[in-house]
Amino acid sequence: MDVEKLEQEAASALEQAGSLEQLEELRVRFLGRSSELKLALREVRDRESGMSLNALRQRLEAALEERRSALERAELQHKLMADSIDVTLPGESFSEGHLHLITQIRREVEDIFLGLGYMIVDGREVETTRYNFDGLNMPAWHPARLSGHSLFLSDDVLLRTETSPSQIRVMEAQAPPVYMISPGRVYRRDTPDATHSPVFHQVEGLAVDRGISLADLKGTLLHLMRALFGEKRELRFRTHYFPFTEPSIEPDVSCHMCDGAGCPVCKQSGWIEMGGAGIVDPNVLEFVGYDPEQVSGFAFGLGLERIALLRHRVPDIRLLWENDLRFSRQF
Amino acid sequence: MKVPFSWLCEYVPLEVSPEQLAERLAVTSAEVERVFWRGVEDSEGNFDNFRVGRVLEAGKHPNADRLQLCKVDLGEAEPRQIVCGAWNFGAGATVAVGLPGAVVPGGMKLERVKLRGSVSEGMIMSERELELSQDHSGIMLLPDDWEPGSRLADHFALGEAILELEVTGNRPDLLAVYGLAREVAALYKLELAPPPGTDPELVGDEPVQVSVEDFAGCPRYVGRLFHDVKIGASPPWLKARLSGAGMRPISNVVDVTNYVMLALGNPLHAFDLDRLAESRLIVRRAHSGEEMRTLDGVDRKLDPRDLVIADAAKPMAVAGIMGGEESEVADTSSSILLESANFEPVGILESSERLKLRSEGSNRWEKGVDPYLAGQAAELASELIVQLAGAHWVGQTDIQGELPARPVVHFRPERADELIGVSIPAEEQRGLLERFGFEVAGDWTVTVPTFRARDVTREIDLVEEIARVHLDEVPFTLPARRAMWGRLTREQRLRRRTEDVLSGLGFVEAYTYSLVDSDPDENAIHLPDPLTAEHSLLRTTILGGLIGSLERNLDAGNEDVALFEIAHVYLPGKEELPAEPVRIAGLTWGGFARAKGAVEALYRALAAPTPSFEPAGELPYLHPLRVARVGEGGWVGELHPELAEGEWGAFELDLSALAELAQDVVVYSDVISFPAVKQDLSFVVAENVPAGELIAAAREAAGADLRAMEVSDVYRGSQLAEGQKSITFAVAFQSPERTLSDTEAAALREKIVQMLAERFDATLRS
């Protein structure tokens, strides 16, 4: 048997094999039971030619295997090329859920203050006048205490009109320092319209420690506003009046729509009102047994809906309560 | 409070523009809503086009019955011919004329026109056309001593900027032009004019019969008597100021009372003396059952808490809030009793709230008007009544209770620095306080002026005075902390996790009102005085709100509706305040099974052991049989088909109960090393046997090595007898310690088969 010739013959046949079927035929022809090589191997008697034929067999097997995988790859490739899909068709439908816009903002604010080392307090909504008014330096005759502004359950119990009562509860329960925020629902006697809702959300902030100043309030609120409305925001204070803070201020943030140049959102002023704040009135500190000569504090309150309306350009606060999926799924 | 700029400038020599002033005030003193213009525009010499004219001739237009043709002297060489539609004047009248080229309020430009064939070289103006009042019944008649051809703008404020301020409740002193001028003078370090008003000559000594029975409600009452009052229209300058301040000119005496209120901040009232029984006034509380008709024409039922000004017979005014129709100053009045009083704020506030009646006066009283102001207000009013109504001042009284002393406060400038966070030299602080009207002694004892006595009583209030002027200089710092930690509580963390899991499962978070119109719990807390019936109850369950949102979504044609909400509910109990547990509620397409699946997924995600689902009795809103109790206080069910078309699954869980079950730290159990033996087991049982009980029994029988047993199929049909069902379970046996042999698995299986046969008469299907 001419090893060299057989090998050449096999090599050229393998090269020409165009399918796995042809390859199988070649395997039978060159390596099958009655192939020339197998017959020769059966008859071999000397060690040298045996080794040579076995080597040939291994080479042929390897060549065959190589050709087989090449053909398989080609076949798969061929199949894939015939198996196109329309990649622009939609994917399989997953109905993703959404967190409410107010929840998203609440978490943002919470995370900002967690980062500043504040705790988060979930206050109660049905409150006594002691916590909603007395502790907040609102005497019995204060206009906010009249039923025309608030929703009372009895003479001494009402739906909290701001998140501030949780300040009093926290300070009563612990010694200073206190660093807390408290987001939640508050209630006013308001008829629903585009910007009013009888139920809405505030976040209350309170810091009481040695040496707290208006400057600390300004820095804290600037940090918050930049986190919420972008790093270019500026903050200013305007004087105001609240019973529970003295001095009282209203923080304005430079308009995120026009960068302060003036536009309809900021009513051409370049500034947007963001809530109320100030230095905690000494009467409030004394109410909870703190010594105003030893510690001072700042407090602020912001409306979460207001942030939603301003930042996301939601035109009507009622959309936040209707839960129409066409609205909710945008956020 | 609307403040005409030129009026303000009468008291303080301002050199800044109204807009600049507005910006400054907004930061230091009071919010400025807007700056707007009243009257004629003052640009490109427009004021020069409005002149005083004297009518030389006036007669019917030859070609028009309704028009007058006039010759008007405008101080020029020749009189001008002007066509006019009004008839309330004739030759000799002094009138306001807009010349061709004039731009009138509203923006129209006057031109020389031909009207019915006659040229008109200008327009004779009405008060409304000049925005002086609403009067358009005829043209405006001017005083006859005004020089023809002189500019209208030289006689009164023809047009000017108006600042609209929103003054906070602690600064009633700013609800007055003079008070604002005092503030502005302090801010800009300008000299303030002395307060307006100098007494005219007192020309009689008639008694003024006023008695105050309630000094708590009325600490001071200045009464002044005037005779020979001629009621008429106010002069243009007064009308311009009132209109600019947003008040309607009525007649000279009434206008004076309003003018003094606007100028000084002390509301006044004028009574027609001849209509007062016994010509006397008594300041007292109303008798129960008393009624009176106020100036707005409404009959008011008075309460014994309401302070009234009564004559000998009955109430003539609700003190400080509104006068009565009966003693109102009318065109025929000739004797006037002027009231310049002081009323205590809380009573006014409460009466005004009770009567649902507010006025410019009550708005000031309820914030606390300086009791020392009544005298000055009486002087200004007297001066103007004599001057404008030709009256004689013939008598006066000034009844005073105990007026409050001026607060004295010790002040530490370094304390202000500490609290503001900025260093302001002590002498600068002293100067500032002094400019604001405080007297500061050498030892920093500060005496508060009467007009700030209610607001400033403590050191901290003085700190605010310093702070508000330095707000722009306050730096941005963060608190210097000695201790610092911030983290979510466990329940807050689990709440967030719950929000994330449910939204991950495809639920959209909803917010619904906690105030509802109905609630399944008959003990739900109701508001005694709700705003609307729609928001009258505090909910005990969230589901009702979600059903409302579902309906809205179905009406909108939205598909795949799945909503959840996490919020407080309000459960009445024995305590003063209700319990306010946080509930997790969901409502989804796909009926009971999908709702239950969501609950199970939530429990898994929180690493809480699978809860028991016990069949529950009927629950509100739900299908009577498709409902199960879940763990502590929760349920899962299917919405009653009456409430929404289709099958809607719902659940409500208690967050704290769930939190109790959630594992914070999950400890690894070996489910990897030794493979599980998996089998399918089908049991035939009676229809009423719940699958859950079969599983519970199987666990009891096989113990911990029964790792999983889940229903994979329920079959009913022809191969089974009537009233029977076949349940197929996918069962996995697995030990954490070794690989179970086939024999061990078979033994476990046999235990289950026996137990189920015993308890439920179940037979294994081969």
Side-chain angles (χ1 to χ4, degrees):
Chain A
M1 202 194 98
D2 184 340
V3 170
E4 206 163 306
K5 184 170 165 248
L6 186 71
E7 194 164 4
Q8 273 173 14
E9 195 183 328
S12 97
L14 280 175
E15 199 167 310
Q16 280 164 34
S19 70
L20 290 170
E21 289 77 21
Q22 285 173 10
L23 200 66
E24 179 59 15
E25 281 169 22
L26 292 179
R27 189 192 63 78
V28 172
R29 176 170 146 205
F30 290 108
L31 290 165
R33 283 169 171 280
S34 30
S35 62
E36 197 181 345
L37 179 58
K38 283 286 166 73
L39 291 174
L41 268 169
R42 224 171 284 158
E43 281 164 18
V44 79
R45 291 293 176 264
D46 63 299
R47 180 182 152 82
E48 195 159 322
S49 47
M51 277 172 65
S52 146
L53 287 179
N54 257 327
L56 173 63
R57 182 180 58 88
Q58 280 171 6
R59 288 200 300 279
L60 287 182
E61 277 172 358
L64 191 81
E65 205 42 53
E66 192 181 316
R67 186 64 189 153
R68 181 192 306 281
S69 62
L71 283 174
E72 274 173 356
R73 276 200 306 277
E75 198 158 297
L76 180 62
Q77 182 66 13
H78 183 71
K79 212 162 131 193
L80 292 182
M81 290 317 290
D83 196 18
S84 72
I85 58 163
D86 178 355
V87 296
T88 65
L89 287 175
E92 212 170 296
S93 162
F94 285 84
S95 194
E96 86 289 3
H98 292 259
L99 293 182
H100 194 278
L101 184 53
I102 295 296
T103 298
Q104 296 181 34
I105 293 169
R106 187 201 83 214
R107 284 195 188 185
E108 269 183 75
V109 173
E110 286 176 353
D111 289 345
I112 291 160
F113 281 97
L114 287 169
L116 291 175
Y118 285 56
M119 63 173 175
I120 295 162
V121 177
D122 183 25
R124 54 173 309 115
E125 294 171 27
V126 181
E127 264 298 0
T128 60
T129 48
R130 180 175 191 277
Y131 289 100
N132 198 79
F133 295 129
D134 300 345
L136 293 165
N137 198 31
M138 282 192 249
W141 50 265
H142 194 276
R145 299 187 74 145
L146 297 171
S147 58
H149 303 269
S150 313
L151 293 162
F152 280 87
L153 302 184
S154 69
D155 285 349
D156 305 321
V157 177
L158 77 163
L159 295 172
R160 64 176 177 183
T161 55
E162 65 272 312
T163 38
S164 315
S166 48
Q167 284 185 16
I168 307 298
R169 288 187 178 273
V170 168
M171 287 193 285
E172 272 189 345
Q174 72 169 82
V178 173
Y179 290 88
M180 60 162 274
I181 64 162
S182 182
R185 293 185 180 210
V186 299
Y187 299 83
R188 302 272 169 90
R189 206 181 173 82
D190 279 334
T191 310
D193 65 19
T195 53
H196 293 86
S197 170
V199 187
F200 60 100
H201 296 79
Q202 274 190 344
V203 60
E204 185 78 14
L206 174 74
V208 180
D209 205 339
R210 285 178 193 278
I212 293 283
S213 71
L214 265 186
D216 296 330
L217 172 63
K218 213 174 181 185
T220 303
L221 289 178
L222 179 67
H223 175 67
L224 174 66
M225 289 304 150
R226 287 190 171 167
L228 289 173
F229 289 97
E231 292 303 323
K232 282 164 77 183
R233 299 284 61 80
E234 299 297 335
L235 188 92
R236 75 164 183 185
F237 280 174
R238 277 180 297 102
T239 190
H240 206 76
Y241 170 67
F242 305 108
F244 29 87
T245 47
E246 185 85 350
S248 300
I249 60 98
E250 281 192 339
D252 287 348
V253 63
S254 61
C255 181
H256 59 290
M257 299 292 294
C258 63
D259 278 342
C263 71
V265 170
C266 58
K267 295 180 195 146
Q268 307 303 332
S269 74
W271 295 97
I272 295 177
E273 285 180 30
M274 285 313 306
I279 293 293
V280 180
D281 194 289
N283 288 355
V284 174
L285 297 178
E286 277 167 11
F287 184 87
V288 299
Y290 289 6
D291 179 355
E293 286 293 316
Q294 293 299 313
V295 291
S296 55
F298 67 67
F300 62 85
L302 307 171
L304 295 183
E305 278 83 352
R306 184 164 171 74
I307 296 170
L309 265 53
L310 281 170
R311 193 173 72 170
H312 301 270
R313 300 185 228 169
V314 175
D316 190 323
I317 201 168
R318 287 167 292 195
L319 286 166
L320 294 166
W321 293 95
E322 282 170 359
N323 306 308
D324 187 321
L325 294 185
R326 293 170 297 180
F327 175 81
S328 312
R329 283 181 175 147
Q330 292 182 24
F331 300 101
Chain B
M1 171 85 186
K2 297 192 181 79
V3 181
F5 194 65
S6 70
W7 192 354
L8 183 67
C9 291
E10 182 180 314
Y11 304 135
V12 56
L14 263 174
E15 282 175 2
V16 297
S17 72
E19 289 75 17
Q20 287 168 323
L21 176 63
E23 233 167 80
R24 181 83 193 264
L25 287 175
V27 171
T28 60
S29 311
E31 209 164 318
V32 181
E33 286 282 289
R34 58 183 179 142
V35 178
F36 65 97
W37 194 265
R38 179 208 62 80
V40 173
E41 280 295 333
D42 178 19
S43 57
E44 294 167 17
N46 196 37
F47 274 6
D48 298 340
N49 290 324
F50 292 85
R51 301 275 172 169
V52 176
R54 174 134 327 117
V55 180
L56 302 177
E57 294 169 24
K60 195 184 86 61
H61 189 292
N63 303 324
D65 289 346
R66 293 203 180 155
L67 298 178
Q68 282 206 97
L69 194 60
C70 313
K71 286 261 186 285
V72 182
D73 174 9
L74 283 150
E76 297 161 322
E78 291 293 321
R80 289 184 184 227
Q81 174 169 290
I82 297 178
V83 178
C84 181
W87 290 84
N88 65 325
F89 67 100
T94 308
V95 297
V97 177
L99 302 178
V103 178
V104 299
M108 191 183 71
K109 190 170 186 173
L110 301 181
E111 282 168 25
R112 187 171 175 276
V113 287
K114 244 184 190 175
L115 289 165
R116 295 287 183 108
S118 305
V119 169
S120 185
E121 295 180 295
M123 178 171 140
I124 303 180
M125 316 276 301
S126 73
E127 291 193 356
R128 193 170 79 185
E129 284 160 346
L130 288 170
E131 290 186 349
L132 275 186
S133 76
Q134 287 304 303
D135 190 1
H136 197 52
S137 59
I139 54 98
M140 179 180 182
L141 293 169
L142 303 177
D144 290 332
D145 57 354
W146 289 12
E147 189 65 28
S150 58
R151 291 178 353 136
L152 286 178
D154 295 334
H155 296 278
F156 62 93
L158 188 58
E160 65 177 317
I162 311 285
L163 270 68
E164 189 169 352
L165 268 65
E166 197 176 309
V167 174
T168 49
N170 61 328
R171 295 298 306 272
D173 61 306
L174 298 183
L175 290 172
V177 181
Y178 187 75
L180 183 66
R182 187 166 49 209
E183 174 88 359
V184 170
L187 291 174
Y188 288 90
K189 302 187 182 171
L190 297 170
E191 195 175 335
L192 178 70
T198 312
D199 268 337
E201 192 187 347
L202 182 63
V203 295
D205 189 18
E206 293 193 24
V208 181
Q209 299 185 75
V210 177
S211 57
V212 176
E213 291 183 357
D214 194 318
F215 281 111
C218 175
R220 186 166 181 198
Y221 200 103
V222 177
R224 292 188 164 194
L225 203 57
F226 299 87
H227 286 330
D228 312 315
V229 180
K230 284 168 272 306
I231 303 296
S234 294
W237 68 266
L238 180 49
K239 286 181 176 172
R241 287 193 168 175
L242 290 179
S243 322
M247 296 194 80
R248 197 163 51 94
I250 295 166
S251 68
N252 47 13
V253 170
V254 176
D255 291 352
V256 165
T257 60
N258 285 331
Y259 178 80
V260 173
M261 172 179 73
L262 293 168
L264 293 170
N266 198 114
L268 304 181
H269 189 67
F271 296 92
D272 184 337
L273 184 73
D274 298 328
R275 289 158 83 173
L276 299 178
E278 298 178 20
S279 303
R280 59 163 54 242
L281 288 178
I282 304 153
V283 184
R284 61 165 169 85
R285 298 288 160 179
H287 303 144
S288 77
E290 268 185 329
E291 285 183 27
M292 68 169 285
R293 179 172 293 181
T294 42
L295 280 174
D296 53 4
V298 179
D299 289 315
R300 309 280 175 179
K301 278 199 172 61
L302 300 172
D303 182 290
R305 289 169 292 182
D306 296 328
L307 191 70
V308 297
I309 316 295
D311 65 6
K314 55 184 185 294
M316 288 288 127
V318 186
I321 301 177
M322 197 173 276
E325 219 173 64
E326 203 163 321
S327 55
E328 181 184 3
V329 172
D331 290 351
T332 53
S333 305
S334 69
S335 291
I336 298 289
L337 202 168
L338 176 78
E339 162 192 296
S340 177
N342 187 266
F343 299 112
E344 162 277 331
V346 177
I348 301 286
L349 179 69
E350 286 171 352
S351 282
S352 151
E353 181 86 4
R354 246 189 325 269
L355 293 166
K356 308 250 178 286
L357 178 60
R358 289 177 58 80
S359 63
E360 287 280 343
S362 70
N363 178 40
R364 285 172 174 80
W365 292 124
E366 70 186 27
K367 295 178 172 74
V369 175
D370 177 6
Y372 294 89
L373 195 57
Q376 188 64 37
E379 285 192 32
L380 177 57
S382 304
E383 181 184 355
L384 290 171
I385 289 173
V386 167
Q387 183 191 323
L388 303 179
H392 295 110
W393 175 29
V394 296
Q396 65 167 328
T397 183
D398 183 351
I399 303 166
Q400 296 190 10
E402 203 174 321
L403 299 187
R406 294 167 62 183
V408 175
V409 181
H410 185 69
F411 180 68
R412 293 165 293 175
E414 66 276 12
R415 179 74 175 146
D417 284 355
E418 269 169 32
L419 286 171
I420 300 170
V422 63
S423 179
I424 304 158
E427 285 316 300
E428 195 182 323
Q429 297 193 34
R430 178 188 296 273
L432 185 58
L433 290 175
E434 285 174 346
R435 287 205 304 285
F436 278 136
F438 297 88
E439 286 165 26
V440 187
D443 65 350
W444 290 97
T445 301
V446 177
T447 309
V448 178
T450 58
F451 53 86
R452 296 297 307 280
R454 281 180 190 276
D455 182 35
V456 181
T457 56
R458 305 164 300 167
E459 183 184 41
I460 192 72
D461 303 322
L462 291 170
V463 171
E464 180 171 58
E465 296 301 299
I466 305 295
R468 64 193 181 91
V469 192
H470 289 94
L471 289 177
D472 287 344
E473 297 147 45
V474 175
F476 298 88
T477 60
L478 288 178
R481 305 277 296 264
R482 290 173 296 133
M484 183 155 162
W485 43 265
R487 60 164 179 257
L488 293 175
T489 63
R490 181 167 182 276
E491 189 158 315
Q492 287 163 352
R493 207 159 26 81
L494 290 169
R495 177 182 172 148
R496 282 198 182 191
R497 180 88 182 111
T498 302
E499 291 165 352
D500 290 338
V501 168
L502 290 174
S503 59
L505 292 173
F507 285 76
V508 172
E509 191 183 16
Y511 276 28
T512 62
Y513 287 137
S514 15
L515 290 166
V516 293
D517 60 352
S518 65
D519 189 275
D521 186 342
E522 60 183 20
N523 295 319
I525 298 166
H526 70 275
L527 271 57
D529 182 22
L531 190 58
T532 63
E534 220 180 318
H535 300 134
S536 58
L537 286 167
L538 279 171
R539 62 180 173 184
T540 65
T541 168
I542 298 175
L543 183 62
L546 289 184
I547 293 171
S549 296
L550 171 65
E551 283 167 6
R552 201 171 292 119
N553 276 294
L554 293 178
D555 288 348
N558 296 331
E559 290 175 0
D560 296 341
V561 180
L563 300 168
F564 80 98
E565 178 168 7
I566 302 181
H568 287 282
V569 295
Y570 314 86
L571 308 180
K574 291 196 180 95
E575 307 288 320
E576 183 181 29
L577 297 177
E580 295 182 13
V582 177
R583 290 280 172 77
I584 307 157
L587 184 55
T588 177
W589 60 272
F592 180 88
R594 194 160 177 91
K596 182 174 173 182
V599 170
E600 288 170 329
L602 178 60
Y603 269 75
R604 283 196 301 274
L606 267 55
T610 311
S612 61
F613 290 85
E614 311 278 349
E618 288 187 30
L619 285 177
Y621 301 123
L622 298 177
H623 186 298
L625 293 178
R626 299 188 178 177
V627 56
R629 297 204 172 278
V630 184
E632 195 70 30
W635 53 259
V636 56
E638 194 162 298
L639 214 54
H640 197 289
E642 275 176 3
L643 294 171
E645 206 172 309
E647 292 186 345
W648 296 93
F651 61 85
E652 192 159 317
L653 307 171
D654 186 89
L655 180 63
S656 312
L658 184 56
E660 251 176 61
L661 299 173
Q663 286 181 67
D664 291 329
V665 178
V666 176
V667 176
Y668 172 69
S669 75
D670 188 354
V671 292
I672 310 291
S673 303
F674 306 102
V677 180
K678 293 184 180 174
Q679 306 184 334
D680 278 350
L681 301 179
S682 299
F683 290 95
V684 176
V685 289
E687 185 61 62
N688 63 357
V689 176
E693 290 187 19
L694 294 177
I695 294 172
R699 290 197 178 285
E700 201 180 311
D705 288 347
L706 174 58
R707 167 154 286 280
M709 181 167 179
E710 278 158 18
V711 177
S712 62
D713 186 44
V714 179
Y715 171 78
R716 298 174 179 84
S718 54
Q719 294 177 26
L720 296 176
E722 185 82 3
Q724 301 245 288
K725 64 184 174 187
S726 163
I727 307 177
T728 304
F729 297 93
V731 175
F733 299 113
Q734 189 179 27
S735 161
E737 285 146 18
R738 61 187 193 287
T739 304
L740 293 179
S741 67
D742 287 351
T743 329
E744 283 172 313
L748 286 169
R749 188 180 81 163
E750 193 46 38
K751 280 186 187 171
I752 293 175
V753 172
Q754 273 184 19
M755 174 70 99
L756 298 194
E758 236 167 70
R759 288 231 184 128
F760 304 101
D761 205 15
T763 52
L764 186 67
R765 266 178 109 204
S766 43

